[in-house]
Every structure is written in structure tokens, then in C-alpha cells.
Amino acid sequence: MPELSQRITGLNGGGSDGWDVFYRARAMVDAGEDVIELTIGEHDIRTDPSILNAMYDSALGGHTGYASVPGVKALRDEVAARVTAQSGVATGRDNLLITTGGQAALFAAHMAVCEPGDVAAFIDPYYATYPGVVRSAGAVPRPVPTRADVGFLPEHDALETACSGARSLLINTPNNPTGAVYPRTTLETIAEVMRARDMWLISDEVYDTQVWDGAHLSPRALPDMQDRTLVIGSMSKSHAMTGSRIGWVIGPEDAIAAMIDLATNTNYGVPGYIQDAALFALQSGTGLEVQVAAPFLRRRAIAERVLGGQNVVRAIPAQGAMYVMLDIRQTGLSGEAFANALLDAHRIAVMPGESFGASAAGHLRVAMTVSDDRFEAALHSLCRFAAGLAKAA
Ligand code: PMP
């Protein structure tokens, strides 16, 4: 066949993409083995039947044709009202585009602000698709290192260095994989760098309904940030609607108009019945969100209890999202070696920190996405396994 484009063959940046443990665990499950999977950010509950009924009613009612590309008006209005209430920033329908999940919003945002070859920075550790999404927009990924001992919060000097010559910075709070919720001071530091360097801030807030300590603050609400910030939102995590592929990007009207052109020429909008289901979910108040978030809050308490009973594995305190980060450096193993050994010895699958960037080396990301009993048992096994390794080290 003729050659494929460098843009697509280079998407993963070469080398291991860090997902080997995940795929190995999946193969074991397919072969009938009992593996406790604490890998991806997928809830152990499904989309609420009331949302599915709304989807069904909409489809049966005829909303199966092409839907409005920017998003149906009622949904855009509902999301805008919600964002206005949460952030205090006046937001209207023309400030947002409905997308096929947060992932498409991340792509649209980078397409909107980066020229081919521009540097697009993001905080390391990062959600695994960030470098690929930057490359797919033709930009050059540049991770901003952070340190475990400050809870992986970005610091001024590292930001200054990494943002030199960069067009955009992508942040994520509450954070996947670290569970960090950025305090106001961190966001103010970031905003200061964006203003001084005339950069775009892309703020991934897909976990905004899952905050356990403190409160979610959108950097779009900080002084002079509204016109240089694109916010990424999604119903995947908040309403356990991962498979429905619905999210949004929020920003200045001109930026949104440009991204609507992109949507028209790529996926041509989100199915109408999915949008109607999302509207139903948002209109039904915070009850569903609280219900979806509750298991993670409970399991976070389980993790604190189990990890508090030993001193080999150190937990990075999770203030939000559905993960806990564990520091396993006392075992002398890398995150990848530990995760592979744990899978072989105990049929427990966790993500190596290295999958999320160099700053998370020697760590593991544990998704709190199995029943409380299995989660607790898995953590006990993990800690015993680490203690055995540390003794031998
Ligand atoms: N951002 C972050 C930080 C995520 O963890 C995810 C999904 N795991 C996404 C964006 C994309 O989510 P979706 O496309 O399902 O909205």
C-alpha cells in the first residue's frame, strides 16, 4: 500500500505506550481468569435507567436524523446555565460546542489554538491521550514536570521553563492520574504565566463533580482568563455515560464558531437522542451525580484505612477523581515492573505511573472501580506484595 502519513503513524510517539499491563490483564480475563482490574477510569455501575429511558423516548420520538452540529439549543442552554452557576462566569449558548465526549473537545481545542509545529504544553503526570491529541492536531507535545512531594502540583519555575515558546498549556483538575485538586494559588500561578506569555489555557474539568476535599475552581473564572481559556467538560465521569460519547468545549464565541466549522467537517455533531438523554440527566439535578460519585468517596476512605496500616506503600492523598496514586519506590521496582509482577503473582491489574509521564515513575495508579470488598482485598494484597519486595530489596 502507499505510505501512511507521518502524522498518523507518529501519533503514539514511538516506544511503549504504557498500556501493556492493561492489555495483558484483558487477555487474562478473556481467557477466563479472575483478574481484579483497577486500570481504566470506567465506573462499575452503568448509566442510570432513567437516562436510558430518556434516550429511548427521544429516539422513538424521531430524534434520529442529523442533529444540530453545535448541539441542540436546549442542551447548550442547560450546559451554559450550569457553567454560569458553577463558575460565576456569564456563559451563553454561543460559548459552547457539544462534542463526542471530552476527548473530541480536547482535539478541537488544540486544533483551534495551535498552528502545525507549535508547542502545546501539559502537566506531567497526564491523562494518557494528551501527547497523542496534541500530535493529532499537528502540534508538538511538551510535558511540564511536577514533583510527588508537592502532590504533583505544577510549580512556577517549571511552568515558566516549559511554557517558553509554547502556544497553549493543558491542565486537568481534579486530576487523572494523581487525584490532585488544584488550589486557587496554583491556578493563579498558572493564570499569571498564561497572561504574561499571551498563551491559551486548556482546562480539562471532566472530573468536576468528583471533588472530595476542597472545591473545584475553574481557572476561566480568574481575572482576564475568560478570553484565553477553553474548558473541556464531559458527561462520561459525572453521569457514568462513558459510552454515550458526550461532552463540550467552552470558550470565547469566536473560538467556538471556529470549532463548529471543525465539527461540521469531522463528526458532524452528536446524535440527537444522546443529546436529549444528556439534557434529561442535567435537568434532573445533582442527585444522579452524587450517586455516581459516592462509591469513589467510599473507596477512598477504604484506601486511606488500608494504606494507613503499613509504611511501605505511600499514598498520594487523592482530593478528587476516581483514582489513588501509590508511591512504591521503597520496593526498588519501577511502576511498570511492579505492575507486571503484581499481575502475575496476584491477578491484580493496576496502571504503572510511567504510563502517565516521567514525573509519575515509581508510582502506580489504582482506579477505584471495583466493588468495595474486592477493592479492599486487592489493596491488602498489593501492600503485602510490596512489603515482601521491600524486605528483599
Ligand atoms: N480527560 C481526562 C482527564 C480523562 O480522564 C478522560 C477519560 N478517561 C477524558 C478527558 C476523556 O473522556 P471522555 O472522552 O469520555 O469524555
Side-chain angles (χ1 to χ4, degrees), residues 41 100-104 106 127 129-130 172 174-177 204-207 232-237 241-243 245-247 323 365:
T100 47
Q103 196 62 49
L106 284 165
Y127 172 48
T129 68
Y130 282 4
N172 171 221
N175 190 270
N176 173 15
D204 180 342
E205 304 180 17
V206 304
Y207 292 97
I232 309 300
S234 172
M235 310 262 320
S236 285
K237 311 296 174 175
M241 289 180 73
T242 48
R245 313 306 305 130
I246 184 150
Y323 316 96
R365 187 194 76 174

Side-chain angles (χ1 to χ4, degrees), residues 56-95:
Y56 178 80
D57 288 347
S58 167
L60 218 59
H63 208 170
T64 52
Y66 289 125
S68 160
V69 171
V72 296
K73 284 198 176 92
L75 178 61
R76 291 173 92 197
D77 287 344
E78 184 68 31
V79 174
R82 178 188 170 94
V83 169
T84 304
Q86 271 174 356
S87 66
V89 184
T91 304
R93 182 194 296 163
D94 294 333
N95 292 116

Side-chain angles (χ1 to χ4, degrees), residues 109-135:
H110 284 91
M111 283 292 281
V113 304
C114 292
E115 299 290 354
D118 274 352
V119 170
F122 47 84
I123 311 298
D124 179 346
Y126 48 81
Y127 172 48
T129 68
Y130 282 4
V133 86
V134 165
R135 289 191 196 99

